[in-house]
């Protein structure tokens, strides 16, 4: 049985995430312990400086906002806004008096022993260490800092370090400075095999071949690694790997979900558009504009139309109980996805009321929604294409179709004239019948009786020409259509605040606008031109988000890039940069990266290279007891975190090492074999799941048809993205279905057989050669001492002790190779 030893790895990641949760739930985090851990210098009063955003705001949110927050202000006290927290209350007391905790009513109430006065009035009292934090904060002046993410990035000079020789670029300076402050040193460099496997999987999602490993290991030139990085960044496999990260974010799937889970026609074109965009290194600003407003740009192309499929990727109910609510749920999905993916803001939390944590008024949600109010619903039960399919047939082909259609219409008109002349001769009952659905049947039965011979000859001649024309038309290549925004309204619907989020209860009318936390809220929408087909609202929003000066856009995307190279972001809540998100471990580095990303034209490839060329990225995953004692979660990046392959990487690697991987790119989704038992889990077993050829089924996993109600089992077992909403982080689990699928599953067993076939062909039937080649293909490295002999002995035992035929024993050996931790984990 394989031993997926991820539990140990996951525990090492746990503390930092738990830290954010502890802050939210207000659990015990004393000022002294934080100071001891971070060595923060004491202020002039001898007390450790209290961080408002990390210590005070979460504490107030947990214990006070229910009675003194955005919805309720008992006694006139509101503690979620600074200007209100310092005002006199109805009782003439003041809740917070800077520098004077003894005069602050807040402290008096939380320390009172009088049950009629004590706060909070219900539930557990604040622990002494929390009260001490509040006292210290007030004593230090009660500074009410603006949340770090709600301030523009600040240009920071990379810090000076003691080990200057370790610093390859500014990233290393920021990381090393943090380590030196804690008395830590970075881990040793990764060995060459580990490094090439790491960078191959990070950039392409595929393993290097043994020959590629050998070439890199033996290349002693100073730029060997840089040449490797440059080569991988130009590989078409790069786009396939990084497109998958984006598809996770924008909730990509090929179906609509709900009971019928019907097909989204041509959704695959959006997937291909994303792959191409990454391979072309399209500037992120352009990438944003095309998806949010591809139909409103100055130059509208097939690609920009396809990009608007972004709006059509969400869930859609074809039979809603409340059509109006269903439409607003679609808009909410767009608001939620757009604000989280591009801005790292949870604007959707303000749909029904003021945002509970961030400074986002109820109205801000609807002002943001107003940008999208020209969009129609995905479709209706009776018309599931008119609003989401745009014809993108090439002009030359479209002209040919138009010519055939014109000829067809002319022939039909001539046929209709003859038919009407005959119908006028028919009895009244038949004339009335010709006006119903029975017309075709009537003409077939009686038309010839009422036509003169010459008329009938002409009629049959016209029908022959029509038949010939239709036959010629069928020879033309198929028209092309794209899942997209179609028929967006030039005069959008009015937008109202919906009380408690109920579309049937309108509040005040609002206009499109940006969240007030950005300062400037007004959105200037140009008057649409005469020939303009849409309102232009989405373009205004797209340009605002894509602007290099937007304080969140660049921060959010560089954090995502960092996340996929290091296993976690500098901000570990990538879709939430708000006050409930996890604070950045290296805020100055994050700002430096954000500004640097803008400097390089918001292009991904130069930014990848910047990260990959750092010593920070090239560290080994070597464990250190001393470092772990200081920083158990590796928040300071004193080593590289081991990671498990993603679901797609597991499947694609199996196909790669057995030599069957089909590298064909683009096109409609493919359908791997799924057992009947799994298909029976659908409401309509097997419906909507196609049958691809064996060659097509060997394509990369990004091309697998994503059916929301029927995720391919191997991908599902290895934590494929949740497609119902934006998936910023895939949770890595360890569960029995993984081992069962890898040992007993039809797919892996069949691929192990093909792996054995390849080894026999390349290495022959000599067991030592067979085992050596298997290890090289699967793990990249040379076999360890005694490893080949162990493999040979296993093959012999399978034959001698378990009476397997030689080919079966070789197949099982290959199965064990695919099931070792080393195959699915990267150092």
């Amino acid at each position: 049985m394989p031993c997926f030893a991820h539990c140990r790895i996951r525990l090492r990641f746990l503390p930092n995430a738990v830290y954010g949760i502890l802050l939210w739930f207000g659990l015990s985090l004393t000022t002294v312990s934080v100071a001891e851990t971070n060595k923060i210098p004491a202020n002039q009063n001898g007390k450790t400086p209290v961080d408002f955003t990390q210590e005070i705001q979460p504490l107030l949110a947990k214990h006070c906002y229910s009675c003194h927050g955005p919805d309720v202000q008992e006694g006139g006290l509101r503690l979620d806004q600074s200007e209100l927290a310092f005002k006199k209350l109805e009782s003439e007391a003041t809740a917070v008096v800077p520098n004077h905790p003894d005069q602050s009513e807040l402290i008096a109430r939380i320390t009172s022993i009088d049950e009629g006065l004590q706060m909070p009035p219900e539930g557990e009292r604040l622990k002494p260490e929390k009260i001490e934090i509040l006292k210290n904060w007030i004593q230090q002046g009660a500074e009410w800092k603006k949340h770090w993410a709600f301030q523009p990035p600040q240009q920071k000079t990379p810090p000076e370090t003691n080990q200057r020789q370790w610093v390859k670029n500014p990233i290393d300076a920021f990381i090393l400075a943090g380590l030196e402050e804690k008395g830590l040193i970075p881990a040793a460099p990764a060995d060459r095999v580990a490094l090439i496997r790491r960078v191959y999987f990070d950039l392409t999602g595929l393993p290097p071949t043994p020959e590629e490993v050998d070439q890199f290991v033996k290349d002693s030139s100073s730029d060997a690694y840089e040449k490797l990085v440059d080569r991988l960044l130009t590989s078409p496999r790069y786009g396939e790997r990084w497109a998958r990260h984006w598809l996770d974010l924008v909730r990509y799937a090929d179906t609509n979900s709900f009971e019928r889970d019907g097909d989204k026609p041509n959704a695959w074109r959006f997937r291909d558009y994303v792959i191409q965009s990454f391979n072309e290194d399209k500037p992120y600003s352009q990438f944003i504009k095309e998806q949010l407003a591809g139909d409103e740009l100055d130059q509208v192309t097939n690609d920009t139309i396809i990009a608007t499929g972004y709006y059509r990727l969400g869930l859609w109910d074809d039979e809603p109980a409340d059509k109006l609510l269903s439409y607003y749920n679609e808009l909410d999905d767009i608001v939620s996805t757009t604000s989280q993916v591009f801005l790292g803001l949870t604007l959707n939390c303000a749909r029904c009321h003021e945002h509970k944590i961030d400074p986002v008024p109820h109205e801000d949600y609807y002002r943001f929604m107003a940008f999208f109010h020209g969009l129609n619903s995905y479709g209706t039960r009776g018309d599931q294409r008119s609003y989401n399919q745009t014809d993108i047939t090439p002009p030359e082909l479209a002209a040919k179709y138009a010519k055939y259609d014109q000829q067809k219409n002319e022939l039909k008109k001539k046929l209709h004239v003859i038919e009407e002349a005959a119908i006028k001769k028919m009895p009244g009952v038949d004339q009335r019948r010709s006006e119903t659905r029975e017309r075709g049947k009537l003409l077939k039965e009686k038309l010839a009786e009422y036509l003169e011979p010459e008329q009938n000859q002409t009629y049959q001649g016209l029908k022959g020409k029509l038949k010939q024309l239709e036959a010629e038309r069928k020879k033309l290549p198929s028209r092309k259509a794209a899942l997209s925004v179609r028929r967006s309204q030039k005069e959008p619907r009015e937008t109202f605040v919906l009380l408690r989020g109920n579309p049937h209860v309108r509040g005040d009318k609002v206009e499109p606008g940006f969240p007030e936390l950005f300062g400037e809220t007004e959105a200037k929408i140009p008057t649409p031109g005469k020939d303009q087909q849409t309102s232009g609202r989405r373009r205004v929003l797209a340009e605002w988000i894509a602007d290099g000066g937007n304080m969140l856009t660049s921060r959010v995307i560089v954090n995502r890039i960092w996340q996929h190279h290091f296993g976690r972001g500098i901000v570990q809540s990538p879709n939430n940069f708000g006050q409930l998100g996890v604070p950045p471990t290296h805020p100055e580095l994050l700002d430096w990266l954000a500004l640097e990303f803008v400097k390089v034209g918001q292009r991904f490839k130069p930014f990848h290279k910047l990260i990959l060329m750092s010593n920070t990225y090239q560290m080994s995953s070597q464990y250190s007891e001393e470092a772990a004692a200081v920083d158990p979660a590796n928040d300071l990046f004193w080593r590289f975190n081991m990671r498990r392959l993603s679901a797609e990487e597991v499947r694609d690697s199996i196909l790669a090492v057995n030599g069957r991987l089909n590298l064909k790119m683009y096109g409609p989704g493919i359908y791997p074999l799924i057992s009947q038992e799994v298909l029976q889990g659908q409401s309509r077993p097997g419906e909507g799941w196609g049958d691809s050829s064996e060659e097509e089924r060997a394509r990369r996993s990004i091309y697998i048809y994503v059916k929301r109600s029927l995720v391919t089992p191997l991908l599902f077992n290895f934590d494929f993205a949740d497609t119902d909403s934006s998936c910023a982080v895939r949770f890595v689990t360890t569960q029995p279905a993984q081992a069962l699928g890898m040992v007993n599953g039809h797919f892996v067993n069949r691929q192990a057989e093909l792996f054995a076939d390849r080894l026999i062909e390349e290495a022959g039937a000599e067991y030592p050669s067979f085992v050596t080649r298997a290890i090289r293909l699967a793990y990249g490295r040379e076999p360890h001492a005694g490893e080949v002999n162990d493999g040979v002995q296993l093959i012999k035992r399978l034959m001698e002790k378990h009476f397997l035929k030689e080919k079966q024993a070789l197949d099982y050996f290959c199965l064990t190779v695919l099931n070792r931790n080393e195959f699915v984990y990267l150092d």
Side-chain angles (χ1 to χ4, degrees):
M1 291 288 285
C3 176
F4 294 111
H6 184 68
C7 295
R8 176 173 59 88
I9 296 170
R10 193 174 186 185
L11 287 173
R12 292 203 301 271
F13 277 86
L14 192 59
N16 198 72
V18 169
Y19 176 70
I21 297 171
L22 292 178
L23 285 176
W24 167 232
F25 283 98
L27 299 181
S28 176
L29 290 172
T30 68
T31 306
V32 175
S33 65
V34 172
E36 288 174 348
T37 301
N38 296 311
K39 297 183 180 178
I40 300 174
N43 64 11
Q44 59 184 354
N45 296 318
K47 300 288 186 179
T48 303
V50 179
D51 189 309
F52 174 79
T53 59
Q54 294 194 32
E55 298 178 84
I56 300 301
Q57 193 277 336
L59 192 154
L60 296 176
K62 169 61 180 175
H63 294 282
C64 307
Y65 282 9
S66 59
C67 298
H68 306 288
D71 292 337
V72 181
Q73 297 90 41
E74 292 186 5
L77 174 61
R78 182 168 180 172
L79 288 172
D80 66 315
Q81 295 182 5
S82 58
E83 63 272 17
L84 300 178
F86 301 117
K87 284 186 174 182
K88 279 194 175 183
L89 307 174
E90 295 172 359
S91 62
E92 295 300 314
T94 302
V96 178
V97 181
N99 304 118
H100 298 284
D102 55 325
Q103 298 176 23
S104 300
E105 187 69 7
L106 174 64
I107 300 301
R109 289 300 188 95
I110 63 176
T111 57
S112 174
I113 59 174
D114 185 335
E115 291 186 1
L117 297 176
Q118 70 181 24
M119 293 292 164
E122 299 176 353
E124 185 180 359
R125 300 296 306 278
L126 268 70
K127 297 184 183 301
E129 52 266 35
K130 294 183 193 175
I131 296 173
E132 190 66 21
I133 290 176
L134 285 168
K135 284 183 177 180
N136 288 344
W137 171 64
I138 295 174
Q139 183 70 50
Q140 293 166 18
E143 184 181 4
W144 202 290
K145 286 185 179 179
K146 197 172 184 180
H147 185 59
W148 67 268
F150 304 155
Q151 304 176 63
Q154 300 298 311
Q155 183 67 60
K156 299 291 184 179
T157 302
E160 293 293 326
T161 61
N162 296 325
Q163 303 177 60
R164 295 182 182 179
Q165 71 281 1
W166 192 80
V167 177
K168 273 192 175 181
N169 65 30
I171 291 174
D172 295 332
F174 283 105
I175 295 298
L176 184 58
L179 294 174
E180 290 182 343
E181 185 181 339
K182 300 293 185 182
L184 302 177
I185 59 173
D191 67 67
R192 303 279 275 188
V193 176
L195 185 59
I196 188 175
R197 281 176 58 79
R198 179 188 301 171
V199 73
Y200 253 83
F201 276 107
D202 277 6
L203 289 183
T204 72
L206 293 171
T209 65
E211 293 72 28
E212 288 166 331
V213 173
D214 291 343
Q215 181 183 1
F216 177 63
V217 170
K218 294 174 183 177
D219 189 345
S220 59
S221 61
S222 59
D223 63 346
Y225 177 65
E226 184 175 7
K227 289 187 296 186
L228 171 65
V229 170
D230 288 339
R231 178 166 60 82
L232 294 179
L233 285 172
T234 60
S235 167
R237 313 283 81 82
Y238 160 77
E240 292 173 325
R241 170 61 175 156
W242 279 79
R244 185 62 258 179
H245 297 318
W246 189 258
L247 296 179
D248 283 6
L249 290 172
V250 298
R251 76 271 189 243
Y252 176 84
D254 292 286
T255 61
N256 293 316
S257 190
F258 293 93
E259 182 181 359
R260 272 174 285 275
D261 198 18
D263 181 51
K264 286 184 182 293
N266 300 301
W268 58 269
R269 294 193 193 279
F270 179 86
R271 175 246 292 152
D272 288 355
Y273 156 81
V274 176
I275 295 173
Q276 283 183 304
S277 295
F278 275 100
N279 277 335
E280 293 168 3
D281 201 19
K282 183 175 292 179
Y284 185 52
S285 55
Q286 184 67 18
F287 192 52
I288 293 171
K289 293 174 191 176
E290 289 177 353
Q291 290 175 82
L292 296 182
D295 58 327
E296 296 186 334
L297 301 179
D298 291 335
Q299 292 186 329
V300 176
T301 65
N302 282 354
D303 277 352
T304 68
I305 291 296
I306 292 168
T308 65
Y310 162 83
Y311 290 108
R312 301 309 192 188
L313 297 174
L315 309 184
W316 178 65
D317 187 354
D318 64 1
E319 198 173 24
D322 184 330
K323 292 183 179 179
L324 187 61
L325 177 60
S326 180
Y327 173 66
Y328 275 94
N329 285 343
E330 288 183 63
L331 289 179
D332 179 70
D333 170 65
I334 292 169
V335 170
S336 175
T337 304
T338 304
S339 63
Q340 290 182 31
V341 169
F342 297 106
L343 300 172
L345 289 176
T346 55
L347 292 187
N348 49 300
C349 292
R351 179 182 182 180
C352 303
H353 45 64
E354 304 256 312
H355 198 294
K356 296 295 186 182
I357 304 299
D358 295 333
V360 180
H362 194 29
E363 293 79 6
D364 271 7
Y365 172 88
Y366 291 96
R367 280 195 287 267
F368 200 79
M369 176 187 283
F371 286 109
F372 309 112
H373 227 159
L375 297 172
N376 293 301
S377 175
Y378 175 89
T380 65
R381 182 74 184 279
D383 180 2
Q384 298 189 18
R385 287 183 176 250
S386 293
Y387 295 108
N388 62 59
Q389 296 292 312
T390 302
D391 191 312
I392 57 170
T393 305
E396 301 80 6
L397 181 59
K400 291 180 181 179
Y401 271 105
K403 181 180 178 181
Y404 277 113
D405 290 342
Q406 181 183 0
Q407 293 174 337
K408 180 180 178 180
N409 289 334
E410 290 174 356
L411 289 172
K412 281 192 168 185
K413 285 179 182 178
K414 292 177 181 178
L415 288 169
H416 187 75
V417 170
I418 296 174
E419 290 167 355
E420 286 299 306
I423 289 172
K424 287 180 181 179
K425 299 176 184 179
M426 295 180 186
V429 64
D430 286 333
Q431 291 183 25
R432 289 189 292 275
R433 186 183 174 195
S434 71
E435 298 171 359
T436 69
R437 295 179 181 177
E438 294 283 312
R439 180 185 176 93
K441 188 176 181 181
L442 171 69
L443 294 176
K444 188 175 181 180
E445 292 174 352
K446 297 187 176 183
L447 180 64
E449 297 178 28
Y450 295 91
L451 288 179
E452 298 295 334
E454 290 183 4
Q455 282 182 311
N456 191 38
Q457 186 177 358
T458 301
Y459 186 80
Q460 296 302 326
L462 290 171
K463 290 202 74 173
K465 288 181 180 180
L466 181 61
K467 186 176 181 180
Q468 182 181 356
L469 185 68
E470 288 176 343
E472 292 175 0
R473 189 177 186 275
K474 287 181 179 179
K475 296 178 183 178
L476 290 175
S478 300
R479 282 183 176 274
K480 293 183 178 180
L483 183 74
S484 57
V485 167
R486 188 182 171 208
R487 294 163 62 180
S488 179
Q489 296 180 355
K490 188 171 184 176
E491 296 184 8
R493 304 166 185 83
E494 293 181 319
T495 305
F496 297 88
V497 172
L498 304 181
L499 305 184
R500 302 301 297 174
N502 187 341
H504 300 286
V505 185
R506 289 181 172 183
D508 296 334
K509 181 180 175 181
V510 296
E511 297 297 331
F514 310 121
E516 67 177 30
L517 62 86
F518 286 88
E520 180 61 48
T521 62
E522 182 182 359
K524 297 177 181 178
I525 313 292
T527 302
K530 181 180 179 182
D531 298 327
Q532 188 173 321
Q533 297 181 346
T534 68
S535 69
R537 286 184 177 185
R538 287 179 284 111
R539 178 174 179 174
V540 172
L541 175 65
E543 290 177 342
W544 175 77
I545 291 176
D547 189 278
N550 188 299
M551 67 182 178
L552 281 174
T553 305
S554 57
R555 273 176 172 154
V556 169
I557 191 60
V558 299
N559 186 65
R560 297 192 194 282
I561 298 171
W562 185 278
Q563 168 194 345
H564 294 302
H565 282 309
F566 289 94
R568 68 157 179 85
I570 295 172
V571 175
Q572 293 196 53
S573 50
N575 270 14
N576 187 358
F577 274 41
Q579 295 175 131
L580 193 53
V582 180
T585 55
H586 296 73
E588 292 184 350
L589 172 58
L590 180 65
D591 280 4
W592 186 87
L593 291 171
L595 295 173
E596 191 67 19
F597 184 67
V598 175
K599 283 183 184 178
V600 299
Q602 298 192 40
R603 292 185 180 275
F604 287 89
K605 291 186 179 182
F607 198 75
H608 285 302
K609 186 172 180 180
L610 174 69
I611 292 175
L612 297 174
M613 294 305 297
S614 70
N615 270 327
T616 302
Y617 179 81
Q618 296 175 54
M619 278 192 288
S620 70
S621 60
Q622 184 178 345
Y623 186 73
S624 165
E625 293 284 355
E626 295 78 10
V630 176
D631 179 25
N634 193 27
D635 286 337
L636 299 175
F637 296 102
W638 49 267
R639 68 172 182 139
F640 197 89
N641 287 316
M642 183 185 291
R643 79 168 175 91
R644 196 198 71 198
L645 300 183
S646 68
E648 295 90 338
E649 288 173 310
V650 171
R651 179 181 175 276
D652 293 352
S653 294
I654 292 171
L655 292 167
V657 300
N658 72 12
R660 294 322 196 264
L661 182 63
N662 177 358
L663 293 177
K664 174 185 172 184
M665 297 180 71
Y666 308 131
I670 61 167
Y671 301 90
L673 285 176
I674 293 182
S675 69
Q676 287 300 315
E677 291 81 1
V678 174
L679 292 175
Q680 290 299 318
Q682 293 183 276
S683 59
R684 298 179 180 181
E687 185 174 289
W689 195 255
D691 183 18
S692 298
S693 67
E694 185 171 355
E695 182 182 9
E696 284 288 293
R697 289 199 296 267
R699 293 179 64 192
R700 292 198 68 175
S701 301
I702 193 169
Y703 299 111
I704 290 177
Y705 185 86
V706 182
K707 189 171 180 64
R708 282 188 158 106
S709 62
L710 188 66
V711 179
T712 304
L714 183 67
L715 300 187
F716 178 83
N717 292 341
F718 280 93
D719 310 304
F720 185 73
D722 175 14
T723 58
D724 286 356
S725 58
S726 177
C727 180
V729 179
R730 293 192 186 185
F731 293 105
V732 179
T733 66
T734 301
Q735 39 96 1
Q738 294 166 355
L740 292 171
M742 290 292 286
V743 173
N744 300 322
H746 171 78
F747 172 79
V748 182
N749 274 270
R750 174 58 182 156
Q751 300 311 313
E753 293 170 4
L754 295 173
F755 188 17
D757 292 342
R758 176 184 184 176
L759 294 173
I760 293 170
E761 182 180 339
E762 294 183 5
E766 294 293 328
Y767 300 155
S769 301
F770 184 94
V771 172
T772 299
R773 185 62 176 166
I775 291 170
R776 291 300 321 274
L777 284 167
Y779 314 135
R781 60 172 174 79
E782 294 286 351
H784 298 314
E787 192 174 14
V788 173
N789 184 61
D790 289 343
V792 171
Q793 294 305 312
L794 173 59
I795 293 170
K796 290 180 177 179
R797 281 199 305 274
L798 288 171
M799 291 189 293
E800 295 167 2
K801 188 175 180 179
H802 299 281
F803 310 107
L804 297 182
K805 294 180 180 179
E806 183 181 48
K807 181 56 167 69
Q808 289 179 303
L810 296 176
D811 293 345
Y812 276 118
F813 171 77
C814 289
L815 186 64
T816 66
V817 170
L818 299 178
N819 272 277
R820 288 172 63 176
N821 273 353
E822 191 173 358
F823 186 74
V824 293
Y825 283 96
L826 288 178
D827 274 323

